[in-house]
Amino acid sequence: MSSFRSWTLLEPEEMLNELRAECNEEERRTAQAALDETVKKEFEASMERWKSEMDSLLVYAGLFSAVLTAFNVESYKLLRSAPMDDAVSVLRQVSQQLNSFSISHPFVNSTHRASSIHAADTTPQPFLLSPSVVAINCLWFSSLIVGLASASLALLVKQWLYELTAGVSGTSRECAELREHRLNSLKAWRVSWIIVFIPLLLQLALVLFLIGVIVLLWNLHETVAAVTSSLTGVLFIFLAAVTILPTFRWDCCYRSPQAWIVYTALKPLRNNMIGFFRWGAKVCGQLVSTHDSRDLLARFFWSSLQTLFWHLSRPAQYRSWVTQERTYLASPDNAARLKVSTAIRACDATLDPACLQNLLVALAPEPGAPLVECLWALDMRADIAASVRMKLLKRDSPPAVLSRLALQALRQIPAVDESKRDEDWDEDVEALLSFYNYVTEPGSNGASPPGAIACPQDQAAQAEMVLRTHFFVAMETRSTHNMISALSTLTAAVDCDRPCPYSTIWHVFSAAEQ
């Protein structure tokens, strides 16, 4: 109670002084520098990614505009009458005038006046444009404008990014504050939205161009138009599929600006529909409970409708992609699977023996025998002696790494819960015993014979670990072959030709008895 009574309300400055006393100035500078360095790396990575994207878009827009210009040069000529049309009209009039002449020697007389020639033949016809010509030029010139607009925006964005990165490459506190100010400005003025909008313009330009090509070909040749339309349709279906798929599968990697627009547009609609189905299931349940038990038809109807609504409301409501990814990573099982996948990818991509040591340290205490999964994923199960990867690892690995890896995997597999053991479990045990015997056979690189040890500091303890592991395997396995193989390793440890500790003999005979 005395300590409670001694508490007094502190002034703001006194509270700040108390907080300052908990960390000295050097610790605060170090922590702030670490935060600034993290933001600096993220800033530089974002700027580099956007610059690279703008460069790619500028190249694509330039090539696309060059190809499209060649089409526009020919298509715009169809919008005006050709000069030959006037010449043909004059020649037709001259020909008709000549045909009206009659020859009476020595005179040549015209039987018709020029004005008597049919007006329809002599009067130039007005120039009429075909609707398809108008549509083609509208599509292609619109495509050209949209493509050039995207290139112009990409150029502007590159200029903005250049100004944003100027003068913030240092590590001083002033540079960090300036960098943070520019990042806030970048967010406030929605530059990221403009960057997302540029590839959408290029996609739109491509669609307009292809539609114009299809309209042109259908007015020229049906066979060519049918083939071109089929190929274009396949392209459009593929683009639509990769745009819509991320909306229904959050783990789909086909994420693009257009996919984000579709996802954002459908998100409230789908969530409202799921909410409606849940409400409908609740109402139907209440109606089922209110009807008399003898009214079987009504109860059956409302019960069936409730089941339908319940199934329709089962899918989870839409959340953002980032939120769903973080929810997925929050699961311990998913985190464990990703940890194993990372280890496999590191070893498989590099074939570096050092990765095996890191894999051994990182995954040894994990449940579910992840080392076994890693070994099989690295092609060390089917035919070990014939595996090229196994030969390379056995040749280049540091002493006893493979034997320790095999031993740790053998120690992990009895820890698998009995409810999760199936027929493959005994097959895994058999393959692990074969793998361990292969990597510890005499003459291998740094390997030790069964029962001997890979840790020179404590050979007796390591030898006992090897024997104890094989004892556990012999006791846990349901396969007679695996039991005999494990017991063979135990009995091989009792060698009459070399000194053998009494504890080893006692453990081996105790295991054989059990």
Side-chain angles (χ1 to χ4, degrees), residues 10 64 80 89 100 143 156 161 168 216 227 420 475 496:
L10 299 179
F64 179 77
R80 62 182 182 181
S89 178
S100 69
S143 177
L156 281 175
L161 297 180
V168 293
L216 173 66
V227 173
K420 298 181 180 179
M475 296 299 296
C496 298

Side-chain angles (χ1 to χ4, degrees), residues 201-261:
L201 289 177
L202 285 175
Q203 294 283 356
L204 176 61
L206 176 63
V207 170
L208 293 174
F209 170 69
L210 292 178
I211 294 175
V213 170
I214 293 174
V215 173
L216 173 66
L217 293 178
W218 276 110
N219 286 275
L220 297 179
H221 198 283
E222 292 185 358
T223 303
V224 178
V227 173
T228 306
S229 300
S230 301
L231 295 176
T232 305
V234 171
L235 175 62
F236 284 169
I237 291 173
F238 176 78
L239 292 177
V242 298
T243 301
I244 296 174
L245 277 176
T247 302
F248 300 96
R249 291 294 303 270
W250 69 268
D251 57 341
C252 181
C253 61
Y254 302 149
R255 299 179 182 178
S256 59
Q258 54 269 28
W260 179 81
I261 291 176

Side-chain angles (χ1 to χ4, degrees), residues 57-58 60-62 64-65 68 140-154 198 201-206 208:
L57 292 176
L58 281 171
Y60 178 81
F64 179 77
S65 300
L68 185 56
W140 283 356
F141 277 96
S142 299
S143 177
L144 180 62
I145 293 173
V146 172
L148 293 177
S150 65
S152 178
L153 286 177
I198 294 175
L201 289 177
L202 285 175
Q203 294 283 356
L204 176 61
L206 176 63
L208 293 174

Side-chain angles (χ1 to χ4, degrees), residues 5 71 95 104 111 120 138 224 301 360 396 478 483:
R5 291 173 181 172
F71 285 85
S95 176
S104 298
T111 58
C138 288
V224 178
F301 173 77
L360 181 63
D396 300 332
R478 294 166 292 185
M483 185 182 301

Side-chain angles (χ1 to χ4, degrees), residues 10 85 90 92 117 174 213 216 236 267 275 282 310 317 319 330 334 341 360 376 388 408 432 439 464 467 475 485 496:
L10 299 179
D85 294 343
V90 172
R92 184 183 295 111
I117 300 175
E174 290 76 13
V213 170
L216 173 66
F236 284 169
K267 178 181 176 181
K282 181 180 179 181
W310 181 77
Q317 291 188 339
R319 294 171 292 179
N334 295 332
S341 177
L360 181 63
W376 301 163
V388 176
Q408 294 287 46
L432 278 176
V439 298
E464 183 179 352
L467 297 176
M475 296 299 296
S485 179
C496 298

